[in-house]
Amino acid sequence: MFVDTTLRDGHQSLIATRMRTEDMLPALEAFDRMNFHSMEVWGGATFDVAVRFLNENPWERLKKIREGLKNTKIQMLLRGQNLVGYRHYADDVVELFIKKVAEYGLDIIRIFDALNDERNLQKSIEESKKHGLHVQVAISYTVSPVHTLDYYLDFARKLLDMGVDSICIKDMAGLLTPKRAYELVRALKEKFGVPVEVHSHCTTGFAPLAYQAAYEAGADFFDTAISPFSMGTSQPTFETMYYAFRGNGKEDFDREALKFLVDHFTKVRMKYVEYDVGMKYPDSRIIFSQIPGGMYSNLLKQLKEQRMEHLLDKVLEEVPRVQKDLGYPPLVTPTSQIVGVQAFLNVVYGRYERITNETKNYVKGLYGRPPAPIDPELMRKILGDEKPIDFRPADLLEPELDKARKELGILAETDEDLLIAVILGEVGKKFLRKKYEEKIGVDFNYLESLSDFTDDMPVYPV
């Protein structure tokens, strides 16, 4: 019944994804005695942050977690055609990525698209089915005039027609009220009879109540986190929801294992206090701004780094205005970043005085089909007489892998290295360059400097 998110969304939401592999490994044996339906351990922002900030290989993390969880199914979060990055990747990249995660022993792949555009899910669903993974597609949940019960049911029908195995209601901003949770879960179960999982965040305080309502409506699975990495901008607490649903009878998990996990992750949470979102109580502003847990923690951190935390309230007020202008996209990666950065620029420089390339590409349709029409004035400002595309954005992309292999040379020693470089661009290449400098003792910066060598430069004996 319960899916644990501690090793993925728990720390992504609460400590800006800074938990290291070394913090996870001592807990795997205890996790394996908890009898979870599954554990979400990879994907989302963890791939990027492992490389960008922690100097860790995300593939090595996945390998070690799979080895340590011998009796528990593991799953990841995949951003559809965006994989674990922030742009659409060509189909050959999607094919290789899903092939590799299947080889690493992944059991369940949760796929979502920020815009609920089924075209952006098509390729990843096909490849996941091909490799025998359980395909769960998430409905990106939000609240707007266009996001009605019928809207979500129509989208669910499209997903089931594509062959998905289960559906997740992905409530990244904690906007799912008990009433809407009951209505949506009940309708999905009655209309389609499909397994339904509920994923929410406690940012607004709704989540535990929404879980209870969803449970009464017949939901099958619930995302929770071990108490030290629960609540706040994270998921509801496993211990609380377990006893709320099951009562005080005999547990079907190891109580000593739970005690170890609570003690261990209490220490881990303290270790990363400088990144901690520090939310002590629900934030009712999120009901209106709709900012998801991970976005909130990162936005706050970025504002503090630029000494602009005093603008937080104004940015939170501007976010729903930008969201409306852009056709009510659900705020989840990458649209949360697109909307959040644009809202920040609007506050600092004036509304749409500066427009990011990502906002421009969004308006052009390069991220997919918006749920509602984009503000006509904004569209004219960005596109002029140009029309947005009306087909799958990835159809514009040429295959990427062969070209990348040639450019990377010895840096792309494995498929995993190749994917790190393609998905993360310069950040990935820098990581691989450092890795191979340490391995073979070559200073790539020095080699690049030799390209400036000319015949008339003096040569000195060593």
Side-chain angles (χ1 to χ4, degrees), residues 317-325 342-343 345-355 375 378 381:
E317 291 171 2
E318 179 64 12
V319 164
R321 298 187 192 117
V322 175
Q323 187 184 24
K324 179 182 179 182
D325 292 342
Q342 190 60 58
L345 293 177
N346 287 0
V347 168
V348 175
Y349 299 105
R351 301 205 80 226
Y352 302 112
E353 290 300 316
R354 294 193 182 186
I355 300 175
D375 177 75
L378 179 60
K381 183 169 186 173

mmCIF file with all atom_site columns, all heavy atoms in Angstrom, residues 317-325 342-343 345-355 375 378 381:
data_model
loop_
_atom_site.group_PDB
_atom_site.id
_atom_site.type_symbol
_atom_site.label_atom_id
_atom_site.label_alt_id
_atom_site.label_comp_id
_atom_site.label_asym_id
_atom_site.label_entity_id
_atom_site.label_seq_id
_atom_site.pdbx_PDB_ins_code
_atom_site.Cartn_x
_atom_site.Cartn_y
_atom_site.Cartn_z
_atom_site.occupancy
_atom_site.B_iso_or_equiv
_atom_site.pdbx_formal_charge
_atom_site.auth_seq_id
_atom_site.auth_comp_id
_atom_site.auth_asym_id
_atom_site.auth_atom_id
_atom_site.pdbx_PDB_model_num
ATOM 1   N N   . GLU A 1 317 ? 3.332  35.943 -5.446  1.00 0.00 ? 317 GLU A N   1
ATOM 2   C CA  . GLU A 1 317 ? 2.127  36.558 -5.999  1.00 0.00 ? 317 GLU A CA  1
ATOM 3   C C   . GLU A 1 317 ? 2.156  36.604 -7.521  1.00 0.00 ? 317 GLU A C   1
ATOM 4   O O   . GLU A 1 317 ? 1.114  36.505 -8.177  1.00 0.00 ? 317 GLU A O   1
ATOM 5   C CB  . GLU A 1 317 ? 1.982  37.989 -5.451  1.00 0.00 ? 317 GLU A CB  1
ATOM 6   C CG  . GLU A 1 317 ? 1.654  38.047 -3.967  1.00 0.00 ? 317 GLU A CG  1
ATOM 7   C CD  . GLU A 1 317 ? 1.735  39.454 -3.410  1.00 0.00 ? 317 GLU A CD  1
ATOM 8   O OE1 . GLU A 1 317 ? 2.021  40.389 -4.204  1.00 0.00 ? 317 GLU A OE1 1
ATOM 9   O OE2 . GLU A 1 317 ? 1.525  39.637 -2.191  1.00 0.00 ? 317 GLU A OE2 1
ATOM 10  N N   . GLU A 1 318 ? 3.346  36.743 -8.087  1.00 0.00 ? 318 GLU A N   1
ATOM 11  C CA  . GLU A 1 318 ? 3.470  36.847 -9.542  1.00 0.00 ? 318 GLU A CA  1
ATOM 12  C C   . GLU A 1 318 ? 3.365  35.498 -10.232 1.00 0.00 ? 318 GLU A C   1
ATOM 13  O O   . GLU A 1 318 ? 2.930  35.403 -11.394 1.00 0.00 ? 318 GLU A O   1
ATOM 14  C CB  . GLU A 1 318 ? 4.806  37.510 -9.903  1.00 0.00 ? 318 GLU A CB  1
ATOM 15  C CG  . GLU A 1 318 ? 5.085  37.664 -11.389 1.00 0.00 ? 318 GLU A CG  1
ATOM 16  C CD  . GLU A 1 318 ? 4.110  38.582 -12.119 1.00 0.00 ? 318 GLU A CD  1
ATOM 17  O OE1 . GLU A 1 318 ? 3.326  39.304 -11.448 1.00 0.00 ? 318 GLU A OE1 1
ATOM 18  O OE2 . GLU A 1 318 ? 4.126  38.577 -13.362 1.00 0.00 ? 318 GLU A OE2 1
ATOM 19  N N   . VAL A 1 319 ? 3.737  34.421 -9.544  1.00 0.00 ? 319 VAL A N   1
ATOM 20  C CA  . VAL A 1 319 ? 3.726  33.091 -10.157 1.00 0.00 ? 319 VAL A CA  1
ATOM 21  C C   . VAL A 1 319 ? 2.360  32.739 -10.756 1.00 0.00 ? 319 VAL A C   1
ATOM 22  O O   . VAL A 1 319 ? 2.275  32.330 -11.931 1.00 0.00 ? 319 VAL A O   1
ATOM 23  C CB  . VAL A 1 319 ? 4.195  32.013 -9.149  1.00 0.00 ? 319 VAL A CB  1
ATOM 24  C CG1 . VAL A 1 319 ? 3.807  30.615 -9.631  1.00 0.00 ? 319 VAL A CG1 1
ATOM 25  C CG2 . VAL A 1 319 ? 5.702  32.082 -8.965  1.00 0.00 ? 319 VAL A CG2 1
ATOM 26  N N   . PRO A 1 320 ? 1.242  32.848 -10.029 1.00 0.00 ? 320 PRO A N   1
ATOM 27  C CA  . PRO A 1 320 ? -0.041 32.484 -10.636 1.00 0.00 ? 320 PRO A CA  1
ATOM 28  C C   . PRO A 1 320 ? -0.440 33.387 -11.800 1.00 0.00 ? 320 PRO A C   1
ATOM 29  O O   . PRO A 1 320 ? -1.164 32.947 -12.708 1.00 0.00 ? 320 PRO A O   1
ATOM 30  C CB  . PRO A 1 320 ? -1.042 32.604 -9.476  1.00 0.00 ? 320 PRO A CB  1
ATOM 31  C CG  . PRO A 1 320 ? -0.375 33.429 -8.441  1.00 0.00 ? 320 PRO A CG  1
ATOM 32  C CD  . PRO A 1 320 ? 1.092  33.187 -8.602  1.00 0.00 ? 320 PRO A CD  1
ATOM 33  N N   . ARG A 1 321 ? 0.038  34.635 -11.823 1.00 0.00 ? 321 ARG A N   1
ATOM 34  C CA  . ARG A 1 321 ? -0.253 35.511 -12.962 1.00 0.00 ? 321 ARG A CA  1
ATOM 35  C C   . ARG A 1 321 ? 0.458  35.015 -14.216 1.00 0.00 ? 321 ARG A C   1
ATOM 36  O O   . ARG A 1 321 ? -0.128 34.966 -15.301 1.00 0.00 ? 321 ARG A O   1
ATOM 37  C CB  . ARG A 1 321 ? 0.190  36.945 -12.643 1.00 0.00 ? 321 ARG A CB  1
ATOM 38  C CG  . ARG A 1 321 ? -0.525 37.584 -11.454 1.00 0.00 ? 321 ARG A CG  1
ATOM 39  C CD  . ARG A 1 321 ? -0.152 39.057 -11.315 1.00 0.00 ? 321 ARG A CD  1
ATOM 40  N NE  . ARG A 1 321 ? -0.603 39.600 -10.045 1.00 0.00 ? 321 ARG A NE  1
ATOM 41  C CZ  . ARG A 1 321 ? 0.181  40.067 -9.094  1.00 0.00 ? 321 ARG A CZ  1
ATOM 42  N NH1 . ARG A 1 321 ? 1.501  40.065 -9.262  1.00 0.00 ? 321 ARG A NH1 1
ATOM 43  N NH2 . ARG A 1 321 ? -0.314 40.543 -7.969  1.00 0.00 ? 321 ARG A NH2 1
ATOM 44  N N   . VAL A 1 322 ? 1.731  34.640 -14.055 1.00 0.00 ? 322 VAL A N   1
ATOM 45  C CA  . VAL A 1 322 ? 2.480  34.092 -15.192 1.00 0.00 ? 322 VAL A CA  1
ATOM 46  C C   . VAL A 1 322 ? 1.865  32.767 -15.629 1.00 0.00 ? 322 VAL A C   1
ATOM 47  O O   . VAL A 1 322 ? 1.737  32.486 -16.833 1.00 0.00 ? 322 VAL A O   1
ATOM 48  C CB  . VAL A 1 322 ? 3.968  33.921 -14.823 1.00 0.00 ? 322 VAL A CB  1
ATOM 49  C CG1 . VAL A 1 322 ? 4.729  33.238 -15.954 1.00 0.00 ? 322 VAL A CG1 1
ATOM 50  C CG2 . VAL A 1 322 ? 4.598  35.266 -14.487 1.00 0.00 ? 322 VAL A CG2 1
ATOM 51  N N   . GLN A 1 323 ? 1.485  31.959 -14.657 1.00 0.00 ? 323 GLN A N   1
ATOM 52  C CA  . GLN A 1 323 ? 0.872  30.667 -14.978 1.00 0.00 ? 323 GLN A CA  1
ATOM 53  C C   . GLN A 1 323 ? -0.398 30.859 -15.820 1.00 0.00 ? 323 GLN A C   1
ATOM 54  O O   . GLN A 1 323 ? -0.613 30.153 -16.809 1.00 0.00 ? 323 GLN A O   1
ATOM 55  C CB  . GLN A 1 323 ? 0.542  29.912 -13.687 1.00 0.00 ? 323 GLN A CB  1
ATOM 56  C CG  . GLN A 1 323 ? 0.060  28.488 -13.912 1.00 0.00 ? 323 GLN A CG  1
ATOM 57  C CD  . GLN A 1 323 ? -0.345 27.813 -12.612 1.00 0.00 ? 323 GLN A CD  1
ATOM 58  O OE1 . GLN A 1 323 ? -0.692 28.482 -11.638 1.00 0.00 ? 323 GLN A OE1 1
ATOM 59  N NE2 . GLN A 1 323 ? -0.311 26.497 -12.593 1.00 0.00 ? 323 GLN A NE2 1
ATOM 60  N N   . LYS A 1 324 ? -1.219 31.812 -15.444 1.00 0.00 ? 324 LYS A N   1
ATOM 61  C CA  . LYS A 1 324 ? -2.429 32.105 -16.224 1.00 0.00 ? 324 LYS A CA  1
ATOM 62  C C   . LYS A 1 324 ? -2.069 32.577 -17.623 1.00 0.00 ? 324 LYS A C   1
ATOM 63  O O   . LYS A 1 324 ? -2.659 32.134 -18.630 1.00 0.00 ? 324 LYS A O   1
ATOM 64  C CB  . LYS A 1 324 ? -3.265 33.157 -15.503 1.00 0.00 ? 324 LYS A CB  1
ATOM 65  C CG  . LYS A 1 324 ? -4.535 33.551 -16.257 1.00 0.00 ? 324 LYS A CG  1
ATOM 66  C CD  . LYS A 1 324 ? -5.304 34.637 -15.512 1.00 0.00 ? 324 LYS A CD  1
ATOM 67  C CE  . LYS A 1 324 ? -6.558 35.050 -16.295 1.00 0.00 ? 324 LYS A CE  1
ATOM 68  N NZ  . LYS A 1 324 ? -7.291 36.145 -15.608 1.00 0.00 ? 324 LYS A NZ  1
ATOM 69  N N   . ASP A 1 325 ? -1.090 33.494 -17.728 1.00 0.00 ? 325 ASP A N   1
ATOM 70  C CA  . ASP A 1 325 ? -0.676 34.013 -19.038 1.00 0.00 ? 325 ASP A CA  1
ATOM 71  C C   . ASP A 1 325 ? -0.217 32.904 -19.964 1.00 0.00 ? 325 ASP A C   1
ATOM 72  O O   . ASP A 1 325 ? -0.416 32.965 -21.187 1.00 0.00 ? 325 ASP A O   1
ATOM 73  C CB  . ASP A 1 325 ? 0.461  35.028 -18.876 1.00 0.00 ? 325 ASP A CB  1
ATOM 74  C CG  . ASP A 1 325 ? 0.015  36.305 -18.180 1.00 0.00 ? 325 ASP A CG  1
ATOM 75  O OD1 . ASP A 1 325 ? -1.196 36.566 -18.128 1.00 0.00 ? 325 ASP A OD1 1
ATOM 76  O OD2 . ASP A 1 325 ? 0.902  37.040 -17.674 1.00 0.00 ? 325 ASP A OD2 1
ATOM 77  N N   . GLN A 1 342 ? 10.530 33.336 -14.797 1.00 0.00 ? 342 GLN A N   1
ATOM 78  C CA  . GLN A 1 342 ? 9.869  34.462 -15.451 1.00 0.00 ? 342 GLN A CA  1
ATOM 79  C C   . GLN A 1 342 ? 9.167  35.357 -14.439 1.00 0.00 ? 342 GLN A C   1
ATOM 80  O O   . GLN A 1 342 ? 9.182  36.585 -14.548 1.00 0.00 ? 342 GLN A O   1
ATOM 81  C CB  . GLN A 1 342 ? 8.882  33.957 -16.504 1.00 0.00 ? 342 GLN A CB  1
ATOM 82  C CG  . GLN A 1 342 ? 8.334  35.064 -17.406 1.00 0.00 ? 342 GLN A CG  1
ATOM 83  C CD  . GLN A 1 342 ? 9.444  35.766 -18.178 1.00 0.00 ? 342 GLN A CD  1
ATOM 84  O OE1 . GLN A 1 342 ? 10.190 35.149 -18.920 1.00 0.00 ? 342 GLN A OE1 1
ATOM 85  N NE2 . GLN A 1 342 ? 9.562  37.084 -17.997 1.00 0.00 ? 342 GLN A NE2 1
ATOM 86  N N   . ALA A 1 343 ? 8.564  34.745 -13.426 1.00 0.00 ? 343 ALA A N   1
ATOM 87  C CA  . ALA A 1 343 ? 7.918  35.529 -12.372 1.00 0.00 ? 343 ALA A CA  1
ATOM 88  C C   . ALA A 1 343 ? 8.951  36.384 -11.635 1.00 0.00 ? 343 ALA A C   1
ATOM 89  O O   . ALA A 1 343 ? 8.699  37.559 -11.330 1.00 0.00 ? 343 ALA A O   1
ATOM 90  C CB  . ALA A 1 343 ? 7.197  34.600 -11.397 1.00 0.00 ? 343 ALA A CB  1
ATOM 91  N N   . LEU A 1 345 ? 11.819 37.523 -12.837 1.00 0.00 ? 345 LEU A N   1
ATOM 92  C CA  . LEU A 1 345 ? 12.238 38.607 -13.726 1.00 0.00 ? 345 LEU A CA  1
ATOM 93  C C   . LEU A 1 345 ? 11.163 39.687 -13.826 1.00 0.00 ? 345 LEU A C   1
ATOM 94  O O   . LEU A 1 345 ? 11.475 40.882 -13.900 1.00 0.00 ? 345 LEU A O   1
ATOM 95  C CB  . LEU A 1 345 ? 12.551 38.049 -15.118 1.00 0.00 ? 345 LEU A CB  1
ATOM 96  C CG  . LEU A 1 345 ? 13.770 37.123 -15.222 1.00 0.00 ? 345 LEU A CG  1
ATOM 97  C CD1 . LEU A 1 345 ? 13.918 36.600 -16.635 1.00 0.00 ? 345 LEU A CD1 1
ATOM 98  C CD2 . LEU A 1 345 ? 15.036 37.829 -14.771 1.00 0.00 ? 345 LEU A CD2 1
ATOM 99  N N   . ASN A 1 346 ? 9.906  39.256 -13.838 1.00 0.00 ? 346 ASN A N   1
ATOM 100 C CA  . ASN A 1 346 ? 8.824  40.236 -13.892 1.00 0.00 ? 346 ASN A CA  1
ATOM 101 C C   . ASN A 1 346 ? 8.811  41.143 -12.659 1.00 0.00 ? 346 ASN A C   1
ATOM 102 O O   . ASN A 1 346 ? 8.538  42.341 -12.758 1.00 0.00 ? 346 ASN A O   1
ATOM 103 C CB  . ASN A 1 346 ? 7.470  39.522 -14.013 1.00 0.00 ? 346 ASN A CB  1
ATOM 104 C CG  . ASN A 1 346 ? 7.234  38.930 -15.388 1.00 0.00 ? 346 ASN A CG  1
ATOM 105 O OD1 . ASN A 1 346 ? 8.083  39.044 -16.280 1.00 0.00 ? 346 ASN A OD1 1
ATOM 106 N ND2 . ASN A 1 346 ? 6.088  38.294 -15.573 1.00 0.00 ? 346 ASN A ND2 1
ATOM 107 N N   . VAL A 1 347 ? 9.107  40.567 -11.503 1.00 0.00 ? 347 VAL A N   1
ATOM 108 C CA  . VAL A 1 347 ? 9.134  41.346 -10.267 1.00 0.00 ? 347 VAL A CA  1
ATOM 109 C C   . VAL A 1 347 ? 10.309 42.323 -10.266 1.00 0.00 ? 347 VAL A C   1
ATOM 110 O O   . VAL A 1 347 ? 10.182 43.488 -9.878  1.00 0.00 ? 347 VAL A O   1
ATOM 111 C CB  . VAL A 1 347 ? 9.210  40.411 -9.039  1.00 0.00 ? 347 VAL A CB  1
ATOM 112 C CG1 . VAL A 1 347 ? 9.532  41.194 -7.770  1.00 0.00 ? 347 VAL A CG1 1
ATOM 113 C CG2 . VAL A 1 347 ? 7.898  39.654 -8.871  1.00 0.00 ? 347 VAL A CG2 1
ATOM 114 N N   . VAL A 1 348 ? 11.456 41.867 -10.738 1.00 0.00 ? 348 VAL A N   1
ATOM 115 C CA  . VAL A 1 348 ? 12.673 42.688 -10.672 1.00 0.00 ? 348 VAL A CA  1
ATOM 116 C C   . VAL A 1 348 ? 12.698 43.757 -11.761 1.00 0.00 ? 348 VAL A C   1
ATOM 117 O O   . VAL A 1 348 ? 13.065 44.919 -11.502 1.00 0.00 ? 348 VAL A O   1
ATOM 118 C CB  . VAL A 1 348 ? 13.924 41.784 -10.778 1.00 0.00 ? 348 VAL A CB  1
ATOM 119 C CG1 . VAL A 1 348 ? 15.193 42.645 -10.843 1.00 0.00 ? 348 VAL A CG1 1
ATOM 120 C CG2 . VAL A 1 348 ? 13.997 40.842 -9.582  1.00 0.00 ? 348 VAL A CG2 1
ATOM 121 N N   . TYR A 1 349 ? 12.286 43.398 -13.000 1.00 0.00 ? 349 TYR A N   1
ATOM 122 C CA  . TYR A 1 349 ? 12.464 44.304 -14.134 1.00 0.00 ? 349 TYR A CA  1
ATOM 123 C C   . TYR A 1 349 ? 11.165 44.854 -14.722 1.00 0.00 ? 349 TYR A C   1
ATOM 124 O O   . TYR A 1 349 ? 11.213 45.704 -15.606 1.00 0.00 ? 349 TYR A O   1
ATOM 125 C CB  . TYR A 1 349 ? 13.228 43.585 -15.259 1.00 0.00 ? 349 TYR A CB  1
ATOM 126 C CG  . TYR A 1 349 ? 14.603 43.131 -14.846 1.00 0.00 ? 349 TYR A CG  1
ATOM 127 C CD1 . TYR A 1 349 ? 14.876 41.792 -14.593 1.00 0.00 ? 349 TYR A CD1 1
ATOM 128 C CD2 . TYR A 1 349 ? 15.645 44.045 -14.702 1.00 0.00 ? 349 TYR A CD2 1
ATOM 129 C CE1 . TYR A 1 349 ? 16.143 41.370 -14.212 1.00 0.00 ? 349 TYR A CE1 1
ATOM 130 C CE2 . TYR A 1 349 ? 16.914 43.634 -14.322 1.00 0.00 ? 349 TYR A CE2 1
ATOM 131 C CZ  . TYR A 1 349 ? 17.153 42.295 -14.078 1.00 0.00 ? 349 TYR A CZ  1
ATOM 132 O OH  . TYR A 1 349 ? 18.409 41.892 -13.701 1.00 0.00 ? 349 TYR A OH  1
ATOM 133 N N   . GLY A 1 350 ? 10.014 44.386 -14.244 1.00 0.00 ? 350 GLY A N   1
ATOM 134 C CA  . GLY A 1 350 ? 8.747  44.769 -14.863 1.00 0.00 ? 350 GLY A CA  1
ATOM 135 C C   . GLY A 1 350 ? 8.209  43.613 -15.690 1.00 0.00 ? 350 GLY A C   1
ATOM 136 O O   . GLY A 1 350 ? 8.978  42.800 -16.218 1.00 0.00 ? 350 GLY A O   1
ATOM 137 N N   . ARG A 1 351 ? 6.896  43.559 -15.825 1.00 0.00 ? 351 ARG A N   1
ATOM 138 C CA  . ARG A 1 351 ? 6.266  42.389 -16.463 1.00 0.00 ? 351 ARG A CA  1
ATOM 139 C C   . ARG A 1 351 ? 6.704  42.254 -17.922 1.00 0.00 ? 351 ARG A C   1
ATOM 140 O O   . ARG A 1 351 ? 6.454  43.113 -18.754 1.00 0.00 ? 351 ARG A O   1
ATOM 141 C CB  . ARG A 1 351 ? 4.746  42.474 -16.377 1.00 0.00 ? 351 ARG A CB  1
ATOM 142 C CG  . ARG A 1 351 ? 4.214  42.549 -14.956 1.00 0.00 ? 351 ARG A CG  1
ATOM 143 C CD  . ARG A 1 351 ? 2.791  42.031 -14.853 1.00 0.00 ? 351 ARG A CD  1
ATOM 144 N NE  . ARG A 1 351 ? 2.738  40.580 -14.811 1.00 0.00 ? 351 ARG A NE  1
ATOM 145 C CZ  . ARG A 1 351 ? 1.921  39.838 -15.524 1.00 0.00 ? 351 ARG A CZ  1
ATOM 146 N NH1 . ARG A 1 351 ? 1.094  40.400 -16.371 1.00 0.00 ? 351 ARG A NH1 1
ATOM 147 N NH2 . ARG A 1 351 ? 1.934  38.520 -15.410 1.00 0.00 ? 351 ARG A NH2 1
ATOM 148 N N   . TYR A 1 352 ? 7.374  41.138 -18.179 1.00 0.00 ? 352 TYR A N   1
ATOM 149 C CA  . TYR A 1 352 ? 7.823  40.719 -19.508 1.00 0.00 ? 352 TYR A CA  1
ATOM 150 C C   . TYR A 1 352 ? 8.738  41.732 -20.185 1.00 0.00 ? 352 TYR A C   1
ATOM 151 O O   . TYR A 1 352 ? 8.851  41.767 -21.415 1.00 0.00 ? 352 TYR A O   1
ATOM 152 C CB  . TYR A 1 352 ? 6.623  40.370 -20.403 1.00 0.00 ? 352 TYR A CB  1
ATOM 153 C CG  . TYR A 1 352 ? 5.772  39.280 -19.798 1.00 0.00 ? 352 TYR A CG  1
ATOM 154 C CD1 . TYR A 1 352 ? 4.484  39.545 -19.334 1.00 0.00 ? 352 TYR A CD1 1
ATOM 155 C CD2 . TYR A 1 352 ? 6.275  37.985 -19.635 1.00 0.00 ? 352 TYR A CD2 1
ATOM 156 C CE1 . TYR A 1 352 ? 3.710  38.549 -18.736 1.00 0.00 ? 352 TYR A CE1 1
ATOM 157 C CE2 . TYR A 1 352 ? 5.515  36.988 -19.046 1.00 0.00 ? 352 TYR A CE2 1
ATOM 158 C CZ  . TYR A 1 352 ? 4.237  37.283 -18.586 1.00 0.00 ? 352 TYR A CZ  1
ATOM 159 O OH  . TYR A 1 352 ? 3.479  36.291 -17.994 1.00 0.00 ? 352 TYR A OH  1
ATOM 160 N N   . GLU A 1 353 ? 9.422  42.548 -19.361 1.00 0.00 ? 353 GLU A N   1
ATOM 161 C CA  . GLU A 1 353 ? 10.467 43.412 -19.912 1.00 0.00 ? 353 GLU A CA  1
ATOM 162 C C   . GLU A 1 353 ? 11.675 42.566 -20.309 1.00 0.00 ? 353 GLU A C   1
ATOM 163 O O   . GLU A 1 353 ? 12.410 42.918 -21.234 1.00 0.00 ? 353 GLU A O   1
ATOM 164 C CB  . GLU A 1 353 ? 10.866 44.483 -18.900 1.00 0.00 ? 353 GLU A CB  1
ATOM 165 C CG  . GLU A 1 353 ? 9.810  45.542 -18.657 1.00 0.00 ? 353 GLU A CG  1
ATOM 166 C CD  . GLU A 1 353 ? 9.462  46.305 -19.922 1.00 0.00 ? 353 GLU A CD  1
ATOM 167 O OE1 . GLU A 1 353 ? 10.391 46.673 -20.674 1.00 0.00 ? 353 GLU A OE1 1
ATOM 168 O OE2 . GLU A 1 353 ? 8.256  46.524 -20.175 1.00 0.00 ? 353 GLU A OE2 1
ATOM 169 N N   . ARG A 1 354 ? 11.875 41.492 -19.576 1.00 0.00 ? 354 ARG A N   1
ATOM 170 C CA  . ARG A 1 354 ? 12.886 40.506 -19.946 1.00 0.00 ? 354 ARG A CA  1
ATOM 171 C C   . ARG A 1 354 ? 12.214 39.143 -19.999 1.00 0.00 ? 354 ARG A C   1
ATOM 172 O O   . ARG A 1 354 ? 11.557 38.734 -19.035 1.00 0.00 ? 354 ARG A O   1
ATOM 173 C CB  . ARG A 1 354 ? 14.039 40.496 -18.936 1.00 0.00 ? 354 ARG A CB  1
ATOM 174 C CG  . ARG A 1 354 ? 14.844 41.790 -18.919 1.00 0.00 ? 354 ARG A CG  1
ATOM 175 C CD  . ARG A 1 354 ? 16.145 41.619 -18.159 1.00 0.00 ? 354 ARG A CD  1
ATOM 176 N NE  . ARG A 1 354 ? 16.891 42.859 -18.113 1.00 0.00 ? 354 ARG A NE  1
ATOM 177 C CZ  . ARG A 1 354 ? 18.123 42.974 -17.603 1.00 0.00 ? 354 ARG A CZ  1
ATOM 178 N NH1 . ARG A 1 354 ? 18.719 41.899 -17.097 1.00 0.00 ? 354 ARG A NH1 1
ATOM 179 N NH2 . ARG A 1 354 ? 18.742 44.142 -17.600 1.00 0.00 ? 354 ARG A NH2 1
ATOM 180 N N   . ILE A 1 355 ? 12.379 38.458 -21.107 1.00 0.00 ? 355 ILE A N   1
ATOM 181 C CA  . ILE A 1 355 ? 11.723 37.168 -21.311 1.00 0.00 ? 355 ILE A CA  1
ATOM 182 C C   . ILE A 1 355 ? 12.791 36.116 -21.567 1.00 0.00 ? 355 ILE A C   1
ATOM 183 O O   . ILE A 1 355 ? 13.660 36.284 -22.446 1.00 0.00 ? 355 ILE A O   1
ATOM 184 C CB  . ILE A 1 355 ? 10.734 37.224 -22.498 1.00 0.00 ? 355 ILE A CB  1
ATOM 185 C CG1 . ILE A 1 355 ? 9.655  38.282 -22.236 1.00 0.00 ? 355 ILE A CG1 1
ATOM 186 C CG2 . ILE A 1 355 ? 10.102 35.862 -22.741 1.00 0.00 ? 355 ILE A CG2 1
ATOM 187 C CD1 . ILE A 1 355 ? 8.705  38.492 -23.402 1.00 0.00 ? 355 ILE A CD1 1
ATOM 188 N N   . ASP A 1 375 ? -1.984 33.812 -23.329 1.00 0.00 ? 375 ASP A N   1
ATOM 189 C CA  . ASP A 1 375 ? -2.440 35.196 -23.446 1.00 0.00 ? 375 ASP A CA  1
ATOM 190 C C   . ASP A 1 375 ? -2.062 35.753 -24.818 1.00 0.00 ? 375 ASP A C   1
ATOM 191 O O   . ASP A 1 375 ? -0.879 35.748 -25.194 1.00 0.00 ? 375 ASP A O   1
ATOM 192 C CB  . ASP A 1 375 ? -1.794 36.038 -22.349 1.00 0.00 ? 375 ASP A CB  1
ATOM 193 C CG  . ASP A 1 375 ? -2.173 37.500 -22.447 1.00 0.00 ? 375 ASP A CG  1
ATOM 194 O OD1 . ASP A 1 375 ? -3.312 37.820 -22.088 1.00 0.00 ? 375 ASP A OD1 1
ATOM 195 O OD2 . ASP A 1 375 ? -1.318 38.303 -22.890 1.00 0.00 ? 375 ASP A OD2 1
ATOM 196 N N   . LEU A 1 378 ? 0.776  38.414 -24.983 1.00 0.00 ? 378 LEU A N   1
ATOM 197 C CA  . LEU A 1 378 ? 2.100  37.842 -24.734 1.00 0.00 ? 378 LEU A CA  1
ATOM 198 C C   . LEU A 1 378 ? 2.568  37.042 -25.937 1.00 0.00 ? 378 LEU A C   1
ATOM 199 O O   . LEU A 1 378 ? 3.746  37.110 -26.323 1.00 0.00 ? 378 LEU A O   1
ATOM 200 C CB  . LEU A 1 378 ? 2.060  36.952 -23.486 1.00 0.00 ? 378 LEU A CB  1
ATOM 201 C CG  . LEU A 1 378 ? 3.374  36.269 -23.106 1.00 0.00 ? 378 LEU A CG  1
ATOM 202 C CD1 . LEU A 1 378 ? 4.472  37.288 -22.825 1.00 0.00 ? 378 LEU A CD1 1
ATOM 203 C CD2 . LEU A 1 378 ? 3.174  35.358 -21.901 1.00 0.00 ? 378 LEU A CD2 1
ATOM 204 N N   . LYS A 1 381 ? 3.790  39.403 -28.566 1.00 0.00 ? 381 LYS A N   1
ATOM 205 C CA  . LYS A 1 381 ? 5.064  40.009 -28.182 1.00 0.00 ? 381 LYS A CA  1
ATOM 206 C C   . LYS A 1 381 ? 6.227  39.068 -28.468 1.00 0.00 ? 381 LYS A C   1
ATOM 207 O O   . LYS A 1 381 ? 7.311  39.509 -28.874 1.00 0.00 ? 381 LYS A O   1
ATOM 208 C CB  . LYS A 1 381 ? 5.034  40.376 -26.698 1.00 0.00 ? 381 LYS A CB  1
ATOM 209 C CG  . LYS A 1 381 ? 6.298  41.074 -26.202 1.00 0.00 ? 381 LYS A CG  1
ATOM 210 C CD  . LYS A 1 381 ? 6.113  41.661 -24.817 1.00 0.00 ? 381 LYS A CD  1
ATOM 211 C CE  . LYS A 1 381 ? 7.332  42.478 -24.418 1.00 0.00 ? 381 LYS A CE  1
ATOM 212 N NZ  . LYS A 1 381 ? 7.158  43.208 -23.159 1.00 0.00 ? 381 LYS A NZ  1
#
